[in-house]
Amino acid sequence: MWDKIIYAFVIMLATYILKQLFSETPNNIKFQSKFLVFYIWTSFVALFTLPFFVFRPKNVKNSLCGAQIVKHVTKLIEVKWHLRNGRILAEDRGAVIISNHQSSLDILGLFNVWHVAVKVAAIARKELFYIWPFGLAAYLAGVVFIDRNSTKDAYKQLKITSDVMIKNKTKIWIFPEGTRNKDFTKLLPFKKGGFNIAVAAQVPIIPVVISPYYFINRKKNIFSKGHAIIQCLEPVPTKGLTMEDVPELITKVRNIMEIAYKELSKEVISALPPNYPLETED
């Protein structure tokens, strides 16, 4: 009796989900499914690559291998990435990459340009380490996890990473806004950690701006086809600067990036049809 009830329930649930997935009307199941595909594929790749990463733990080249596999999921979720001024990322030197943060998709954008920068150590919040198998694979791939609630520990981790950056000419990728920003008109305030490291190591800062994800509207459950532009700006030197110069340096870099962000926002939005359902801040 119960087996028939459960069987009927599973059939009805599967039918409902399939109907929602193939519906032309936006809905939450269809919206969440694209993120789910990304997360499942990333977890699968992490599980598959873990045994290989163990042989060279915390080597940033592991990240490059993983990124080359994960990035192909972008075809399934129908998002295209366009890199501009990639030559800046390709230069073989230590640097701190400062990028804006909008969504978990930012990491997919990073995966799609990783082969250009080659040696990159991404910075992530400590909580992500506990999402296994991704967290463990990321740790073995050289991702640096920091505790945002402990400034002292976070700085210590970044200092260790900066030594590796100088020695191995590795780039550190940081999202200084600290949280996701959905405003198409401005960037959130920047935290100073990455700037302190750049000045202490006397390496340049490479501002990287990702255009707004106009194709995502969480309020209306829309995740349509789209493209994102990843624009590398000219490096900002830190040679000769001291810690006293950090506040001014943050303001300078943020202003440069905000101008570029507004220009990219205008570029992608102006190409959209009238009444396109953009997600806006309340």
Side-chain angles (χ1 to χ4, degrees):
M1 175 65 177
W2 282 107
D3 58 332
K4 293 181 179 179
I5 294 176
I6 294 174
Y7 180 74
F9 175 76
V10 171
I11 293 296
M12 287 190 293
L13 181 61
T15 302
Y16 174 75
I17 292 175
L18 287 173
K19 183 179 180 181
Q20 294 298 303
L21 288 174
F22 290 99
S23 173
E24 295 184 1
T25 305
N27 58 75
N28 189 53
I29 290 178
K30 192 174 181 179
F31 175 79
Q32 296 295 344
S33 66
K34 287 204 172 184
F35 285 103
L36 191 61
V37 166
F38 171 42
Y39 299 150
I40 290 175
W41 177 243
T42 302
S43 297
F44 173 78
V45 173
L47 192 62
F48 174 77
T49 54
L50 264 174
F52 301 98
F53 289 178
V54 169
F55 290 104
R56 51 179 187 183
K58 305 201 74 173
N59 190 319
V60 294
K61 291 183 179 179
N62 288 340
S63 294
L64 177 61
C65 294
Q68 290 298 92
I69 303 174
V70 174
K71 71 177 186 180
H72 294 293
V73 76
T74 194
K75 299 172 184 176
L76 292 178
I77 63 175
E78 300 179 296
V79 177
K80 294 182 179 180
W81 303 88
H82 303 285
L83 176 63
R84 293 179 179 174
N85 298 329
R87 58 175 178 77
I88 297 174
L89 282 182
E91 293 185 33
D92 186 22
R93 61 179 173 184
V96 174
I97 300 173
I98 298 294
S99 182
N100 58 310
H101 187 27
Q102 303 175 80
S103 163
S104 56
L105 286 185
D106 294 338
I107 189 65
L108 186 54
L110 172 55
F111 286 161
N112 274 269
V113 300
W114 210 302
H115 65 285
V116 178
V118 182
K119 291 185 288 185
V120 180
I123 306 298
R125 66 181 187 273
K126 187 177 180 180
E127 292 80 3
L128 289 178
F129 171 73
Y130 301 103
I131 303 176
W132 285 27
F134 172 77
L136 180 57
Y139 173 78
L140 293 173
V143 172
V144 180
F145 295 96
I146 61 173
D147 185 356
R148 291 179 181 173
N149 297 320
S150 175
T151 304
K152 184 178 180 180
D153 289 344
Y155 183 79
K156 183 179 179 181
Q157 281 293 335
L158 288 175
K159 180 63 175 67
I160 294 172
T161 305
S162 71
D163 295 337
V164 176
M165 171 182 63
I166 298 171
K167 182 180 178 181
N168 299 333
K169 294 184 179 180
T170 300
K171 300 176 182 67
I172 298 177
W173 195 301
I174 296 177
F175 299 101
E177 290 174 289
T179 189
R180 299 172 187 178
N181 179 21
K182 303 180 182 66
D183 193 330
F184 286 10
T185 63
K186 62 182 179 181
L187 302 179
L188 297 176
F190 283 2
K191 299 182 183 300
K192 63 182 181 180
F195 296 89
N196 285 341
I197 294 302
V199 170
Q202 295 288 281
V203 296
I205 290 173
I206 302 177
V208 173
V209 182
I210 304 175
S211 63
Y213 299 144
Y214 64 88
F215 45 87
I216 296 177
N217 188 324
R218 291 172 177 79
K219 296 176 183 177
K220 296 185 177 180
N221 292 318
I222 294 174
F223 191 149
S224 55
K225 292 182 181 180
H227 75 283
I229 301 168
I230 303 175
Q231 182 164 321
C232 303
L233 307 180
E234 290 300 320
V236 178
T238 63
K239 205 76 172 177
L241 298 184
T242 66
M243 290 302 168
E244 294 181 355
D245 300 310
V246 168
E248 184 178 346
L249 177 63
I250 292 175
T251 301
K252 178 180 179 181
V253 173
R254 185 178 180 278
N255 288 342
I256 292 172
M257 291 180 65
E258 190 161 83
I259 290 172
Y261 183 66
K262 289 179 178 179
E263 290 176 349
L264 288 176
S265 179
K266 183 178 180 180
E267 178 182 342
V268 297
I269 292 175
S270 63
L272 299 175
N275 302 317
Y276 189 90
L278 291 170
E279 180 174 9
T280 57
E281 292 284 287
D282 291 329

